[in-house]
Amino acid sequence: MSILFDARDRLWLLRTPATSYVLCLDEDDAPRHVHWGPRLTLDQAKRLAELRAALADTEADPGGEELSVEGGLRYGVPSLIVRYGDATRGVEWRFLRQRIEDGHLEIVFTDRRYPLEIALHYRVREDSDAIERHVVLRHTGQGPSIEILRLDSAAWTLPPRPGYRLSHVVGEWGKEFQLQRGALACGETTLTSRAGITGHAGNPWLMVDAGEATEEHGEVWSAALAWSGSWRITAFRDLKGRAGWSGGFGHEGLTWRLASGDVLETPAFAGLYSADGFGAISRGWHDHIRKHVLPAPDRVRPVVYNAWEATEFDYDEALQLDLAARASRIGIETFVLDDAWFGTRTHDAAGLGDWWPNPDRFPKGLGPLIDEVRRLGMDFGIWVEPEAVNPDSDLYRRNPDWVLHTPGRRRTESRNQLVLNLARPDVAEWTHAWLDALVGENEISFLKWDMNRSFSEAGWPGHDDPDRLWIDHVRNVYAIIDRLRADHPGLFIEGCAGGGGRVDLGMLARVDQVWASDNTDAAERVAIQHGYGQIYPACTMGAWATDSPNSMTARTHWVRYRFHVSMAGALGVGGDLRAWSEDDLAWAAAFVEQYKRARPVVHGGAQYRLGPEATQYVSADGREVVVLTYQPSALGRTPIPLRLTGLDPAARYRDQATGDVHHGAVLLTHGVGAGLMPFDGTSEFVHLTRVD
Ligand code: DGJ
C-alpha cells in the first residue's frame, strides 16, 4: 500500500518506490511535516514524529506546516493568506476528515470559526518518486466573501542541514534556462514570474541540496509547478539550518474573492527527492514527465522543417513551395509554415488576430501548399498566436474591449500587440472556434502555439473579481488546447512563447513539445539545453539546426556541430536551405537519417550528463547507447577520451558508424575515441548497440 494512516498518532506515511513522505496532525490539528527522504517504516515514522513534536515544543515558531498559514507565533513564508468579511486574518486549523484512494490522499480541514474549508491533496504512484500536491479551498458558509491574498499549492520542508544550496534557472529572451547553483541564503529567496506567462527570467522549479551533492551522489530535494501563468516560489533557510519552500500560482499583490459556495483549486506542485545526486533527480523528472505528465509520450516527435529563420515575414507561396521541396530531400517529416501566413500580416505590426490566409500570398488558400507538402511525403504544420492581437487588425477594430485593459490607462503594446483576455468565456469560445475550423478544414497535423508578450494593464472592466483573469486566462488556454486534442486526436502541438517563455509541467501536460529558445546558435544552445534538461526530457525540447552564420549571433559553425547539438532534443531544421551548399545538404540528410535511428534512445532512454557539454542516453533495455559531445570552445582543453556510464562492464558494444566493438569495462574506465579535436565548435555523435 502506498499510503498508510495511523489513526492513533494521526500520521500519514506516503511511499514511492525509493522515498517516503510523512506528515501528522499536531495537538492543535495543524498539519505538520515530519519527513521527506529515504524510505521509512511506519514505526520509524511514528518515532520520528514524536521526536519532532518534542523539539517543536521548545520552539516559539512552529514552522514545518504542510501549508503554512498566518496566526499565532508564525512568522515564516505564508502559503495561504486570507481575510474574512470582518477583516480577521489567518487560519486556526480544525481537522474534519481524510480519504485515501488509489494513491491519492485528501485531508480536509476547516477554520475553527470561519466557513473556510481547506483540502490538502497528495498523490503518489508505484512507478515514480514524484509526490504531486495541490490545495482546494471552499467557502462553506452563507456570509460575506473571503478574500484570498495568497494560495500556494504546497509548502515543502527539508530536514536541517548545514550547507544548503539552491539550483534553478534564470534567463531572458534568447538566453533561457541558464543553470544557477549557489548557497541558499539565510532569509528568503523568491523565484517568480509576474508576466502572466511562465516567463523567460526563471522557470517554476528548484532543487535544493545539502551542499555536497554531485552529479551522481548526494541528497537532492526538488519541486516543479504545473502552471503556465504568473507564479511564485519562495525558498527559505534559517540559522537553525531549517529550509524549505512554498510555491504556487499568481504573483504578490493579486487577490481573489471566494464567495459563498465558491471553490478555488491550485495547480499541482510536484516534489521529487533522490539520494543519488543531480543526475538521478533529472532522470527522475524525465521519467515522471514521460509517464505521467505528457499527453502522448510515445508519439514519435517528427523532424520538422520551419522556415521562420529563413524568411521571417518576407515570403510568398512560391518560396514556401521551394523550401518544402528542399526540406523533403533531407528527410524532413513535417513542414511547418510559421508566422505571417494570414490577414495583412506582412510585418509584426498588423494582421495578428485575422486568421484567414493572406490573399496575396495564398490566393487559393492554404490548400495548394498543403497538398504539395503532403505529395512530397511530409505532414503539414502551422503557426498560430491565439492569445494576442495587433491593434491594426480587423479583430481589434471590431472588438477593442476583448483585450486586457484598464479604463483610464494606456494600452501598452509589446511587439506591436496586445493580449486578448482569454479569461472571458466569449473570447475563449471564439478562439476555440477559429482554431477548430483551421485544424478541421485543412490537413494540419502540427500546430505551433506561440505567445509573444507578457501581460500589462491587466484589467477586466465590469468583472467583480478582476484578478481572476490571471488564473482564468491560463485555464482557458489549457481548456482550448485540451479540446483541440480531444477533437483532433492526431494533432501534434508545439508550445512556444517567444522561444522558451512558457515551459512548465502545466503546458507539458497538453503539448507534445516546446520550442526552447529563439537562439539557435549551437554554442549558446549547449548551455540552454543543459539548463532545460535539468527537469524536462529531451523528447519535449524542439531544437533546430539552422544557418551558418547564425541569424542571431552571426557566429559560424560546421553543419556537423549544428546538427549534433540539435540531435540532443526533438530535431528540426530551421535554416534557409536555398543558401546551403550541396555538401551541407548531403550532410544534413545523413544527420537526419542518423538521428531517426537514435531518436528512440534519445527520447525514451535514461539521460546521463557526462559533463555540461556531453550527454549519454541509454535505452530502457540497456542495449542501445547514444553519446553526444560538444566543445563550444577549445581554449585550454586537453582532448581526453570521454568515459561512459550506466553500461554493463561485462558486455560489448558495437559502434554503428565504424563497426568497432568496445568492451563495456573499457568504455566505463577509459572512454571512447581519442577526445575531440582541438578546435572550437567540434562535436561527436556515437551510437552503440550491445552485441551480446
Ligand atoms: C517567436 C517564436 O519563438 C519564433 O520561433 C517564431 O515563431 C516567431 N515568434 C514568429 O513571430
Side-chain angles (χ1 to χ4, degrees), residues 128-150:
S128 166
D129 283 321
I131 300 167
E132 291 162 315
R133 299 177 54 189
H134 74 275
V135 173
V136 180
L137 290 188
R138 186 187 302 273
H139 186 317
T140 52
Q142 302 301 325
S145 299
I146 302 172
E147 232 184 321
I148 311 299
L149 296 102
R150 180 78 207 153

Side-chain angles (χ1 to χ4, degrees), residues 424-671:
R424 282 178 53 155
D426 55 344
V427 180
E429 197 50 45
W430 176 83
T431 304
H432 171 264
W434 74 257
L435 279 163
D436 186 53
L438 176 70
V439 174
E441 290 164 15
N442 298 285
E443 287 203 77
I444 290 175
S445 34
F446 183 109
L447 193 68
K448 174 175 174 185
W449 181 305
D450 201 353
M451 167 55 164
N452 281 294
R453 64 154 297 178
S454 303
F455 291 13
S456 65
E457 293 90 28
W460 188 351
H463 197 279
D464 62 356
D465 189 15
D467 284 353
R468 278 304 294 245
L469 73 86
W470 297 88
I471 296 177
D472 290 355
H473 180 104
V474 178
R475 286 191 178 156
N476 283 346
V477 167
Y478 288 171
I480 294 168
I481 299 178
D482 292 347
R483 216 170 137 190
L484 286 174
R485 283 198 89 95
D487 294 342
H488 307 278
L491 188 66
F492 189 98
I493 304 186
E494 178 176 64
C496 175
R502 195 160 59 184
V503 183
D504 55 79
L505 299 190
M507 251 316 133
L508 288 178
R510 43 198 41 92
V511 301
D512 299 286
Q513 67 185 44
V514 288
W515 179 226
S517 178
D518 278 341
N519 189 338
T520 59
D521 178 318
E524 301 278 328
R525 200 85 186 189
V526 171
I528 292 170
Q529 297 186 169
H530 179 63
Y532 183 97
Q534 297 294 314
I535 292 273
Y536 306 117
C539 65
T540 65
M541 184 178 69
W544 307 338
T546 56
D547 295 334
S548 177
N550 182 267
S551 64
M552 189 181 284
T553 65
R555 279 205 200 108
T556 55
H557 291 300
W558 292 333
V559 66
R560 169 190 172 87
Y561 184 58
R562 285 177 270 145
F563 269 89
H564 281 170
V565 170
S566 296
M567 285 159 76
L571 174 71
V573 177
D576 185 351
L577 296 179
R578 292 169 303 171
W580 289 30
S581 67
E582 282 307 317
D583 219 29
D584 279 2
L585 287 169
W587 276 113
F591 289 126
V592 168
E593 195 46 46
Q594 204 173 37
Y595 163 80
K596 285 178 183 168
R597 284 197 300 271
R599 176 166 53 189
V601 188
V602 173
H603 290 187
Q607 182 177 345
Y608 295 88
R609 288 182 293 259
L610 304 177
E613 287 151 9
T615 313
Q616 179 191 330
Y617 309 83
V618 182
S619 63
D621 63 5
R623 298 202 67 82
E624 287 198 75
V625 180
V626 170
V627 185
L628 283 155
T629 327
Y630 317 115
Q631 186 164 268
S633 161
L635 251 177
R637 300 279 183 104
T638 317
I640 300 174
L642 196 65
R643 281 172 54 201
L644 305 192
T645 187
L647 306 185
D648 180 351
R652 291 179 310 147
Y653 298 84
R654 176 173 289 113
D655 186 318
Q656 295 284 293
T658 63
D660 293 348
V661 174
H662 304 280
H663 286 280
V666 174
L667 294 171
L668 289 167
T669 51
H670 292 275

Side-chain angles (χ1 to χ4, degrees), residues 5 58 62 85 89 124 160 179 181 189 206 241 299 337 350 362 402 415 440 473 521 619 656 661 665:
F5 176 54
T58 64
R89 298 168 69 107
V124 288
L179 180 64
R181 181 161 295 152
T189 305
L206 78 176
R299 181 180 282 182
L337 179 64
F362 299 102
W402 275 19
R415 208 193 190 206
H473 180 104
D521 178 318
S619 63
Q656 295 284 293
V661 174

